[in-house]
Amino acid sequence: MFSCKNEEHEYHSVIEKIESESKNYHGVSVTSELYFEDTDMIEISEDGQSFLIPDRKGQIKSFACTECHSKPLEQMQSENLKKAHWDVSVAHADLNTMNCVTCHNPENMDNLKSLTGNTIDFNASYKLCSQCHTKQFQDWKGGAHGKQIGGWAPPRASMTCVNCHNPHKPAFETKWPARFNTQTIKERNN
Ligand code: HEC
Ligand code: HEC
Ligand code: HEC
Ligand code: HEC
């Protein structure tokens, strides 16, 4: 047997130290809920993975759309010559691939629609994106693409696609590093 000084905070081994100092740690619970703040969260389930994502309907300024879209879009467009959504333009896929009604349902504006015409709830807009961005969707489902709210603390909560990507203009602007940068100087002088 090795002698031990047996003073407080001295241990035979690292393992012993960890075990001893974590004794009071049980019962302290880590939870992602601390990070939700005022955001309402909804639970989704995809291929056996259940997790929380932020509610969107409460965040969309012009929701409910049917406050104005009470009749078919074509009829509204023939009556109204002014552009209602002048602040929305699409810079996503090219216009042969995608226009407003690729994603929005002209028969019922309160919902999105799939490429085959099925209804998609605004809170589940990731289902819209996943039709074309399968790889990112798979990664997101597994927790690899996009941010986990509160890290991996339970319950699992993830940001949804539209929390980070504007569906109308999904690319991020190029950003310069925050540090002073000679490239910027060169470009300013050009
Ligand atoms: C304040 C009234 C109002 C609200 C609220 C509103 N819209 Fe509209 N929207 C209009 C009018 C009027 C038109 C027709 C004129 C036009 O095409 O800009 C229109 C047109 C559209 C079009 C066709 C645009 C085009 O260029 O073909 C889409 C798509 C659309 N709305 C989606 C939505 C969605 C989605 C919502 C809810 C998130 C919404 N709107 C909420 C008034 C509104
Ligand atoms: C790639 C799919 C896609 C296309 C194309 C698209 N939208 Fe959207 N749009 C969305 C999604 C998804 C949301 C909800 C975003 C969110 O949750 O914040 C949305 C939200 C909106 C809103 C509500 C925004 C707000 O904050 O009030 C309006 C209005 C709208 N779209 C109009 C249009 C119009 C007009 C066009 C065509 C010029 C268009 N969208 C094209 C997917 C699309
Ligand atoms: C109908 C197919 C389709 C749908 C639906 C769709 N996208 Fe896209 N998306 C494309 C295409 C095509 C491109 C351009 C080609 C590329 O860069 O891969 C693109 C590009 C992107 C890019 C890369 C932009 C860049 O240049 O860096 C992002 C991010 C993106 N989409 C996010 C989304 C999100 C979020 C949604 C759901 C709201 C969505 N997409 C829905 C087809 C789609
Ligand atoms: C927490 C923020 C966040 C969330 C949530 C998120 N993304 Fe992204 N996404 C990013 C970042 C950051 C990039 C890298 C952009 C770059 O390199 O310019 C990216 C890149 C992309 C790209 C471009 C190709 C690539 O992989 O670089 C696509 C497409 C895309 N995301 C789709 C999606 C879809 C679909 C979802 C939802 C299923 C989603 N994203 C959720 C932040 C996010």
Side-chain angles (χ1 to χ4, degrees):
M1 281 278 279
F2 293 97
S3 70
C4 164
K5 283 184 196 141
N6 211 14
E7 283 172 28
E8 251 186 307
H9 304 309
E10 285 196 30
Y11 303 96
H12 286 290
S13 67
V14 175
I15 300 292
E16 205 171 276
K17 179 173 179 181
I18 292 170
E19 278 172 356
S20 169
E21 298 210 340
S22 57
K23 235 182 244 153
N24 297 326
Y25 197 67
H26 306 298
V28 176
S29 53
V30 259
T31 166
S32 60
E33 279 158 10
L34 290 171
Y35 301 90
F36 297 170
E37 290 170 357
D38 294 333
T39 315
D40 289 331
M41 304 295 285
I42 51 167
E43 185 168 5
I44 60 159
S45 191
E46 285 292 325
D47 291 345
Q49 308 255 22
S50 291
F51 53 99
L52 301 169
I53 59 171
D55 165 88
R56 291 304 304 164
K57 287 183 186 169
Q59 304 294 318
I60 300 172
K61 271 180 285 155
S62 49
F63 201 79
C65 316
T66 46
E67 279 174 26
C68 298
H69 288 273
S70 52
K71 40 192 162 181
L73 182 57
E74 268 182 41
Q75 196 183 330
M76 281 174 75
Q77 281 173 327
S78 63
E79 289 166 5
N80 190 323
L81 298 174
K82 276 204 198 121
K83 242 178 152 238
H85 304 293
W86 52 270
D87 53 341
V88 179
S89 61
V90 177
H92 191 157
D94 75 69
L95 292 174
N96 286 324
T97 311
M98 188 187 279
N99 62 26
C100 309
V101 294
T102 308
C103 302
H104 293 287
N105 187 342
E107 315 298 326
N108 174 8
M109 277 301 177
D110 282 346
N111 288 295
L112 299 161
K113 75 170 176 60
S114 78
L115 297 173
T116 51
N118 292 323
T119 297
I120 298 175
D121 194 278
F122 269 98
N123 278 340
S125 55
Y126 65 89
K127 289 187 177 163
L128 180 73
C129 319
S130 69
Q131 300 175 103
C132 303
H133 301 294
T134 323
K135 188 180 162 290
Q136 286 78 15
F137 173 63
Q138 293 297 345
D139 289 350
W140 175 77
K141 229 175 14 183
H145 186 105
K147 192 173 154 47
Q148 308 295 318
I149 302 168
W152 287 97
R156 182 186 156 191
S158 295
M159 303 276 244
T160 189
C161 316
V162 291
N163 286 127
C164 299
H165 300 288
N166 178 342
H168 306 132
K169 192 173 175 290
F172 291 109
E173 308 271 317
T174 310
K175 281 191 185 148
W176 294 109
R179 286 171 107 194
F180 190 67
N181 170 329
T182 49
Q183 183 68 28
T184 322
I185 304 267
K186 224 164 55 189
E187 294 205 347
R188 269 192 205 133
N189 293 342
N190 280 343

